[in-house]
Amino acid sequence: LPSGCWEFGWLHHCSVAGKRRALNAYLGGEPRPASVRARAFAMHDADLLAGVSGDSGLLLLSVRLARTAWILFTLAILLASDLPYVSVVAVREIGHYGKLVSERGPPKPGRVAALMKFLDRFSLPARPVWTAFYFVASLLNLVSLLNLASPPLALFLLQAHLVRRLLETRILTRFSPTRREHPLGQAVGLVFYMLLSPSIAIEWALLDPAHPTLPVAVAGTGIFLLGMAVQNAAHRELASLRPAGGQGGYKVPTSWLFRNVSVCPHYTAELTIYLGLALLVSGIQSLWFALIFSAGNLSVTARRSLRWYKGWEGAGELAPYAIIPFIL
């Protein structure tokens, strides 16, 4: 540690000047153990940020802004949730998309409702919207990979996931011809995918953590591949329930996944995918934020789907869990 800092076991303390020297030392390019780099970053505060200049300071500021954006983005889920007192009715109704559109309540008076109704004029068909999501996400992830000297395994796997979802959206998924995505939903999807890869890459570049050990790499990759396989199988099942062209009524899925895992196994698989990726870069908070956001966002929709299925013929055979087996 530089002058101005002392350490005893897990205890450490640095003066403001010491903090600046600690961070500037590793930001200046001198190789240091990952634990020291992470500790130096963890010590930063407003005084430390003021002492870092140039590209390094901009990188540090970008990480802090990205983490703040993830936190605010995740808290915003409460506005669209079914929780009393914190949700906004007009925003919550937009969360009823796809097969859940029939669950939307009657229009409510008020400025927010009027704004949502006005924005609804700019709704777009579902397929091009989701195609744009995964195209932008794949492109940004590829750029992130190409701009890192030693990119993490997680970004390579994430690229495979995003390209698969892009192909599924274009070839496999059978959207209803009447399904349209509200501008607010479009904004949420774009913000999520525009934050995802760049925030991981920036944090990786700043902290430069060690790559995972072989057991962790095997476990994380295995969890990721399991999620990929389950999600693709669930998407194939859902696509088979609707005739080509998206016409026709909805049917209750009856495959093993829907009967034994959850009512929304494709959502369960999405969380499994992000869990596997997060384990591969456990020190990168951005991926954990992405997992937490996805868990909150998809849990709201999954619980609504569980309620929606009740009363349908064959719904009694579905799993009693919305998204997380034995828990939710």
Side-chain angles (χ1 to χ4, degrees):
L1 291 174
S3 60
C5 297
W6 57 264
E7 181 177 32
F8 181 75
W10 54 272
L11 296 172
H12 66 273
H13 174 75
C14 285
S15 65
V16 171
K19 291 179 185 179
R20 291 176 180 172
R21 281 191 290 270
L23 188 60
N24 278 315
Y26 104 79
L27 287 178
E30 181 181 346
R32 295 184 181 275
S35 59
V36 175
R37 290 194 296 270
R39 182 178 298 168
F41 179 72
M43 290 190 298
H44 79 264
D45 55 21
D47 293 321
L48 176 58
L49 183 60
V52 180
S53 59
D55 294 339
S56 299
L58 181 60
L59 198 62
L60 176 58
L61 179 61
S62 299
V63 171
R64 297 186 71 178
L65 289 176
R67 289 179 175 180
T68 302
W70 274 118
I71 294 172
L72 295 176
F73 197 45
T74 303
L75 290 176
I77 297 174
L78 297 175
L79 299 177
S81 70
D82 295 320
L83 297 175
Y85 307 114
V86 296
S87 62
V88 178
V89 174
V91 178
R92 184 172 67 236
E93 295 304 317
I94 295 173
H96 293 80
Y97 58 87
K99 64 179 180 292
L100 299 176
V101 169
S102 60
E103 297 296 302
R104 289 186 180 180
K108 304 289 184 181
R111 294 181 179 179
V112 176
L115 176 61
M116 294 299 104
K117 184 177 180 180
F118 171 77
L119 291 176
D120 199 37
R121 301 176 183 178
F122 303 97
S123 296
L124 297 173
R127 190 181 302 278
V129 169
W130 285 93
T131 298
F133 287 165
Y134 292 117
F135 176 79
V136 170
S138 300
L139 182 61
L140 289 176
N141 194 77
L142 181 60
V143 171
S144 299
L145 280 169
L146 295 176
N147 280 277
L148 288 173
S150 180
L153 173 61
L155 282 184
F156 287 102
L157 296 179
L158 180 58
Q159 186 71 29
H161 166 63
L162 295 172
V163 170
R164 175 185 64 85
R165 289 295 294 122
L166 176 60
L167 293 175
E168 285 182 348
T169 301
R170 296 302 305 168
I171 300 172
L172 177 63
T173 306
R174 292 179 178 175
F175 292 98
S176 168
T178 60
R179 176 173 171 177
R180 302 179 69 84
E181 302 297 343
H182 191 277
L184 190 60
Q186 298 173 35
V188 170
L190 280 177
V191 170
F192 176 82
Y193 286 115
M194 290 178 71
L195 264 178
L196 183 59
S197 299
S199 63
I200 297 169
I202 292 172
E203 200 167 340
W204 181 270
L206 179 64
L207 293 179
D208 191 22
H211 288 275
T213 61
L214 181 59
V216 174
V218 171
T221 303
I223 292 172
F224 168 83
L225 293 176
L226 174 63
M228 286 266 284
V230 170
Q231 189 173 65
N232 181 257
H235 285 159
R236 289 181 179 277
E237 167 76 4
L238 291 172
S240 69
L241 299 178
R242 194 186 296 273
Q247 302 288 346
Y250 194 87
K251 299 178 183 178
V252 175
T254 58
S255 70
W256 185 91
L257 290 173
F258 290 86
R259 288 185 286 107
N260 295 278
V261 176
S262 70
V263 166
C264 299
H266 49 312
Y267 292 169
T268 308
E270 185 83 0
L271 301 187
T272 304
I273 287 169
Y274 283 115
L275 175 60
L277 295 176
L279 290 176
L280 293 173
V281 285
S282 58
I284 303 300
Q285 293 185 15
S286 295
L287 251 175
W288 290 103
F289 280 129
L291 173 60
I292 293 170
F293 171 82
S294 297
N297 182 43
L298 296 178
S299 293
V300 171
T301 304
R303 287 180 59 83
R304 290 170 179 170
S305 297
L306 182 62
R307 293 196 302 267
W308 184 83
Y309 274 122
K310 292 181 179 179
W312 280 76
E313 183 179 354
E317 299 181 9
L318 293 174
Y321 313 108
I323 185 170
I324 305 177
F326 309 107
I327 298 178
L328 180 65

